[in-house]
Amino acid sequence: MQVSPFNQPAPRLGNQYDDDRVLRSLLARRFGGPVPPAALAALREMGELAGGELYQAQLDDRLNEPQLVQWDAWGNRVDAIELSPLWRRAERLAAEFGLVATGYEAEHGPLARTLQFALVHLFHPSTDVYSCPLAMTDGAARTLLDSGNAALIERAVPHLTSRDPARFWTSGQWMTESTGGSDVGASETVAERDGEGWRLWGRKWFTSAATSQIALTLARPEGNPAGGRGLALFYVETRDADGRLDRIEVLRLKDKLGTRKVPTAELLLNGTPAVAVAGARDGVRNIVPMLTLTRTWNSICAASFMRRGVALAQDYARRREAFGRPLAHQPLHRQTLAALQAEYEAAFHLCFELVHLLGRAEHGAGDEDERALLRLMTALTKLTTGKQAVAVSTEAIECFGGAGYVEDTGLPVIVRDAQVLPIWEGTTNVLSLELLKACGDGGPLRVLRQRLARGVGDCDDRLAAAGSIATAAADRALDWYRQAAGAGPDALQAQARGFALTLGRATALALLCEHARWSLEHEQDGRARAAALAFAATRIDQLGAIEPDDARLLVE
């Protein structure tokens, strides 16, 4: 007897803008009503591409990875990097949709960043992390504008913010060396000055998106002191007038766990021509605008990956039957999916609060308190959402059982690519220490606490209970900070991660409560409140560290 085997239908995606209640609701709130027609058309078109043509192209492109061709047929060193078809398509779309340009256009004022990152949120998970060069491009444009270097602004910024694919440039960010990624003050790249200008010598161990037309990089001018203060920020155009790499060798492409479509290279600078962006010192300080932008992109991409994993898992739960009914009707599976949705919504609102602060700061709409909050929130949001993305993406592919472990379903890559988010642009520990610095004398923490109070104010009884969990966790973290600050730096460092994650999750919960209150009033929709209550049931307070003596015993 011939038996026809059962084949499970694959999960499907619809229009990723129309299907994302959370994104549509946030935009309605920020714009105070309907999204402007032109912006809405772009969002819906991007949503259709992300859930349809681009998603299918991503599945079809699964086995393609960038390839390094170091020599041509006649023995000439060419160091050409061949990109995947999807990446070539993504570059054109990024320019046409203004994924960088939108953030610099005056039409929407402080909301330009919100609209920009709404588009990025849709674009990112269907384009194999093409967001990586875009993040650095955005950061380079902002850094050059803030530098006041008129010649470089005139030369590069129109390309970096162009909507014309033929004129559009991307930028690299060359900081990481084998001496250390986060300890940039240990950089060994040297800058020498000759009759023609600056030349750079050294090895950059990890340069993402190595096909960019320009890069911003740190190097130490000869004679400068050691450490970060002795570094300078330089602008490099990667190719000469003939289109050849300009005294740059690509030693190899990195063989990475994830983000395998991103051409991450190890480069050797052999007297590469460069231009000082803002003097011959203080390069770390001068590159801060770039880090602010790349960390913001990192955060948005974390929420975007969560959304993709949850969207696929929810669709699959409606299609997959087990024990006589769809998974979506199984109480335990429904609990799992609800928890993932709540985690996504919390991360989303944390990200778009950061974006809102960024947009206001760039347009001079925020006061000093908001600028202090922006500095705090940049580290807080990135470290919190990076950890969330890994946890949610892992849980999401578990929702598929064995299919989630099979490569040609296109599901495992979500976990691999999400794993870069807690690492790139500062690990959780490094950002926790940066958060301590951003706390300063405690003033920024008072501003954050006031923001939480606004978020949870005037809530109904159920939301008020969730809000009280947020404020109680934040208050405990702030009490710990005040006590530990008097006990010395080692005491602060020991619990810095728990302190940071507690503040991050407490802030996310307060923001989720705030949006839920708005949604109940303006949309008569209780789903955001359900998300707030579900997120409040998770572990918000992350304080608690191993005793120092026990930690020493376990490690040493």
Side-chain angles (χ1 to χ4, degrees):
M1 182 178 69
Q2 186 174 5
V3 178
S4 298
F6 169 76
N7 290 313
Q8 171 64 40
R12 299 175 190 167
L13 295 174
N15 185 305
Q16 291 301 281
Y17 177 73
D18 291 344
D19 289 353
D20 194 343
R21 163 187 58 84
V22 184
L23 175 60
R24 290 185 288 103
S25 181
L26 183 278
L27 291 176
R29 178 177 152 209
R30 289 291 186 223
F31 279 96
V35 176
L40 178 60
L43 289 163
R44 294 204 70 247
E45 185 179 356
M46 180 61 81
E48 188 64 30
L49 284 168
E53 181 183 336
L54 284 178
Y55 178 54
Q56 185 58 52
Q58 185 181 44
L59 295 175
D60 295 341
D61 202 47
R62 184 177 65 83
L63 297 178
N64 293 316
E65 294 186 3
Q67 300 293 323
L68 172 60
V69 179
Q70 290 186 305
W71 309 94
D72 71 11
W74 303 99
N76 299 301
R77 183 75 182 257
V78 292
D79 286 351
I81 298 174
E82 298 176 354
L83 300 175
S84 70
L86 180 61
W87 256 54
R88 294 195 296 270
R89 175 83 191 283
E91 180 178 20
R92 185 174 190 87
L93 288 173
E96 292 173 344
F97 276 86
L99 294 189
V100 175
T102 301
Y104 296 87
E105 293 168 347
E107 181 181 358
H108 299 291
L111 288 176
R113 286 295 187 185
T114 297
L115 179 56
Q116 173 198 13
F117 282 109
L119 288 164
V120 172
H121 180 69
L122 298 169
F123 172 88
H124 162 72
S126 292
T127 50
D128 287 337
V129 201
Y130 192 77
S131 51
C132 173
L134 297 180
M136 295 183 290
T137 301
D138 195 351
R142 183 77 265 159
T143 301
L144 293 176
L145 287 168
D146 287 357
S147 75
N149 188 319
L152 291 181
I153 291 170
E154 182 180 0
R155 169 67 177 159
V157 172
H159 288 286
L160 300 173
T161 58
S162 177
R163 285 177 176 263
D164 179 357
R167 297 188 70 239
F168 181 56
W169 286 359
T170 57
S171 175
Q173 174 188 319
W174 299 349
M175 294 174 62
T176 306
E177 302 189 10
S178 54
T179 49
S182 300
D183 185 10
V184 294
S187 173
E188 295 180 336
T189 302
V190 174
E192 295 180 346
R193 198 164 196 168
D194 60 22
E196 297 181 2
W198 290 100
R199 295 193 176 274
L200 308 184
W201 303 83
R203 182 173 62 132
K204 295 298 184 181
W205 187 80
F206 196 96
T207 62
S208 287
T211 54
S212 294
Q213 288 86 351
I214 72 163
L216 296 186
T217 184
L218 297 174
R220 193 180 314 280
E222 286 188 310
N224 274 16
R229 293 291 299 274
L231 294 173
L233 179 61
F234 289 93
Y235 166 94
V236 172
E237 292 193 7
T238 56
R239 295 185 179 273
D240 61 21
D242 296 321
R244 296 186 296 258
L245 285 174
D246 202 351
R247 304 192 69 168
I248 299 168
E249 290 184 19
V250 181
L251 301 180
R252 57 176 169 163
L253 294 182
K254 296 295 188 178
D255 188 7
K256 298 165 294 176
L257 169 68
T259 66
R260 298 185 66 88
K261 300 302 182 74
V262 181
T264 304
E266 186 172 336
L267 302 180
L268 190 63
L269 309 183
N270 286 318
T272 307
V275 178
V277 174
R281 286 178 180 257
D282 296 323
V284 175
R285 184 182 66 190
N286 291 326
I287 206 170
V288 164
M290 188 172 215
L291 296 178
T292 298
L293 262 300
T294 53
R295 287 170 177 171
T296 301
W297 278 76
N298 196 101
S299 302
I300 292 292
C301 292
S304 182
F305 266 144
M306 285 185 253
R307 161 67 186 155
R308 174 54 52 87
V310 172
L312 289 169
Q314 288 182 347
D315 184 80
Y316 184 74
R318 292 188 285 269
R319 298 176 186 280
R320 175 66 170 171
E321 289 195 6
F323 308 109
R325 53 179 169 170
L327 289 177
H329 297 167
Q330 304 277 2
L332 179 55
H333 199 74
R334 186 184 294 148
Q335 286 278 329
T336 302
L337 293 174
L340 295 179
Q341 177 69 22
E343 200 76 23
Y344 157 61
E345 294 194 32
F348 177 92
H349 287 293
L350 190 61
C351 289
F352 275 88
E353 177 72 9
L354 172 61
V355 168
H356 186 62
L357 290 169
L358 175 66
R360 288 177 58 79
E362 289 184 338
H363 284 80
D367 56 18
E368 184 54 42
D369 279 355
E370 280 198 9
R371 287 188 287 274
L373 188 56
L374 173 60
R375 290 190 290 271
L376 203 69
M377 284 282 291
T378 301
L380 196 67
T381 304
K382 193 275 182 186
L383 70 88
T384 302
T385 58
K387 301 304 284 185
Q388 287 177 296
V390 173
V392 168
S393 61
T394 300
E395 193 72 54
I397 71 160
E398 186 179 336
C399 290
F400 294 88
Y405 203 68
V406 176
E407 286 289 351
D408 57 6
T409 63
L411 295 168
V413 71
I414 299 174
V415 173
R416 287 201 306 275
D417 285 352
Q419 184 61 65
V420 79
L421 297 168
I423 296 172
W424 188 52
E425 299 306 338
T427 63
T428 308
N429 282 356
V430 166
L431 286 170
S432 297
L433 297 177
E434 287 196 17
L435 181 69
L436 293 180
K437 292 180 183 177
C439 291
D441 61 358
L445 290 175
R446 289 190 291 274
V447 176
L448 179 64
R449 182 61 180 83
Q450 291 165 4
R451 180 67 186 91
L452 266 66
R454 283 205 317 277
V456 303
D458 299 324
C459 288
D460 65 15
D461 290 343
R462 296 183 74 196
L463 273 178
S468 67
I469 292 173
T471 54
D475 286 340
R476 182 164 179 257
L478 298 182
D479 286 344
W480 168 83
Y481 179 81
R482 284 189 285 268
Q483 294 172 15
D490 285 355
L492 274 172
Q493 281 198 27
Q495 285 209 66
R497 177 189 280 237
F499 169 70
L501 289 171
T502 298
L503 284 184
R505 293 184 71 80
T507 303
L509 177 54
L511 295 169
L512 191 47
C513 288
E514 180 178 68
H515 188 76
R517 187 176 72 236
W518 179 90
S519 184
L520 285 166
E521 180 180 349
H522 292 87
E523 300 174 317
Q524 291 75 53
D525 191 335
R527 287 175 290 182
R529 177 171 63 184
L533 298 176
F535 188 66
T538 68
R539 185 183 169 200
I540 304 299
D541 189 337
Q542 303 274 318
L543 277 168
I546 302 168
E547 288 295 322
D549 287 345
D550 291 337
R552 193 174 300 111
L553 283 171
L554 289 170
V555 174
E556 295 180 359

